[in-house]
Amino acid sequence: MYNNSKRAATFLDKGGTGKTTSAAHLGVGLAEQGEDVLLIDLAGKQGDLAKHFGVWGDVQDQIEADDDWPNISTVFAEEWGQIASKLGDAAVESLIIETGEGVDLIPAHPGLDSLDADLGNIDDARERYSRLEEFLDEFIDPLYDVVIIDLPGLTNNVSYNGLWATKNVIAPVEMGPFESEQATALRRDLDKIEDQFDVDVELAMILPNKVDSRTKLATEYLEDFGEEYEDAIAPAHVPVSQDIRNAADAGQTVFALEEPSSTATRARDAFMENASALQKRLGGN
Ligand SMILES: Nc1ncnc2c1ncn2[C@@H]1O[C@H](COP(=O)(O)OP(=O)(O)OP(=O)(O)O)[C@@H](O)[C@H]1O
Ligand SMILES: [Mg+2]
């Protein structure tokens, strides 16, 4: 048998805090440290991770050419096992695309739209939430060291599958009172999952993002988060940087910038340091 891959999911019940950005940058950071990294986009059919790596056009071409089966939603189907044994290695290969930044990606697909409802039709709760885990165990662990999943910013059957499969959450937070409530709610949610299903989902990393350290308030929140989440706080916060946004719009992470500005360099160093910490926290092989 293969060892388990190191796995984590970016998750917070709130939009726009940096889940996709963090999945992309931590993934590339881990790849730079020699890990074989797979990113999986479960965050919705808009394909944000594929856009972040400039490969969304290719994915859409495939969809338009009707060459989009199997796709990420297929692996949740009851028939996936049969499909995979019929197609052989091609089944998993056709799900995965390479990015130009050393990480591989299973992109989002329009089929994700109905996935939450489809999963809801499975009576047995354990089965409803563990389809993704089965897929990773059997088909992905032989191929990759690290799997990072970008989840929707809400709690549904899809995000439960991501939490169940990874047992580790990366929660990017902005610095504000609302965020600290959100983080508390997240911790409560994770405890609830633990009670209900007897699975241990860890808060692997609280990642302060978009931090403007020139403002006193941001610095104060940063300190509060550090105290409140002593075990989970990321070693480095990520500064607010227009370059992160610009790079994403251009289909790149800041790691790919040829002449990074000083904030982009700080962001890159922070993601690198956090990737190292994550590697240790996730343990695995
Ligand atoms: N440190 C940063 N500095 C500046 N802009 C950032 C930073 N981190 C993320 N952004 C930008 O903020 C926006 C939201 O980030 P991102 O898409 O990663 O959040 P998200 O949590 O995935 O959002 P959603 O809930 O919509 O999926 C994006 O435009 C992104 O480029
Ligand atoms: Mg996102």
Side-chain angles (χ1 to χ4, degrees):
M1 270 313 278
Y2 296 97
N3 285 331
N4 259 1
S5 50
K6 303 180 185 79
R7 302 174 186 171
T10 54
F11 181 64
L12 188 72
D13 204 340
K14 187 185 179 226
T17 64
K19 294 183 293 296
T20 303
T21 306
S22 301
H25 285 81
L26 291 171
V28 175
L30 285 160
E32 301 242 325
Q33 290 166 25
E35 303 272 17
D36 277 329
V37 179
L38 177 69
L39 305 178
I40 302 178
D41 189 350
L42 289 180
K45 65 171 177 186
Q46 69 282 359
D48 288 344
L49 263 182
K51 286 178 191 157
H52 209 308
F53 289 100
V55 292
W56 184 234
D58 299 343
V59 178
Q60 278 177 314
D61 288 348
Q62 272 188 356
I63 293 172
E64 267 160 40
D66 262 344
D67 192 16
D68 58 341
W69 187 91
N71 59 68
I72 182 59
S73 65
T74 323
V75 311
F76 288 85
E78 200 172 359
E79 309 80 42
W80 170 252
Q82 286 146 273
I83 294 168
S85 58
K86 209 156 158 190
L87 298 181
D89 289 347
V92 177
E93 275 164 25
S94 61
L95 298 170
I96 298 171
I97 53 177
E98 288 179 13
T99 73
E101 297 199 43
V103 296
D104 288 352
L105 169 67
I106 300 184
H109 184 271
L112 288 174
D113 253 6
S114 53
L115 181 58
D116 179 46
D118 294 343
L119 290 167
N121 288 328
I122 302 172
D123 287 332
D124 181 66
R126 234 168 213 283
E127 194 185 340
R128 181 159 70 237
Y129 299 138
S130 60
R131 288 267 168 97
L132 182 66
E133 179 179 49
E134 279 173 40
F135 167 71
L136 295 184
D137 285 352
E138 187 169 350
F139 297 96
I140 296 303
D141 278 4
L143 304 175
Y144 292 94
D145 305 321
V146 180
V147 179
I148 297 179
I149 301 178
D150 193 20
L151 291 182
L154 68 146
T155 313
N156 65 11
N157 294 321
V158 177
S159 37
Y160 272 137
N161 263 270
L163 298 177
W164 191 289
T166 61
K167 313 268 190 313
N168 281 289
V169 173
I170 301 161
V173 291
E174 295 173 52
M175 294 297 96
F178 188 61
E179 256 59 29
S180 83
E181 278 165 37
Q182 212 76 36
T184 310
L186 172 63
R187 195 145 70 173
R188 226 175 19 236
D189 282 349
L190 299 183
D191 287 345
K192 217 160 59 189
I193 295 173
E194 206 170 318
D195 288 347
Q196 216 174 337
F197 302 113
D198 203 24
V199 295
D200 213 356
V201 183
E202 302 277 341
L203 189 50
M205 185 169 279
I206 289 265
L207 175 42
N209 186 28
K210 306 189 191 181
V211 178
D212 183 353
S213 47
R214 290 166 308 185
T215 72
K216 192 156 170 280
L217 209 57
T219 319
E220 279 171 14
Y221 277 118
L222 205 53
E223 266 174 36
D224 290 349
F225 267 99
E227 281 167 23
E228 173 78 17
Y229 295 95
E230 221 185 325
D231 299 329
I233 195 80
H237 66 263
V238 177
V240 64
S241 163
Q242 184 60 34
D243 294 322
I244 291 185
R245 192 179 287 266
N246 293 345
D249 290 345
Q252 293 181 316
T253 72
V254 291
F255 288 100
L257 297 177
E258 289 191 359
E259 289 177 29
S261 63
S262 65
T263 58
T265 303
R266 274 195 291 133
R268 197 159 70 177
D269 292 348
F271 277 119
M272 210 53 194
E273 198 177 336
N274 293 337
S276 291
L278 191 63
Q279 195 177 30
K280 294 200 190 80
R281 291 181 194 181
L282 296 180
N285 53 2

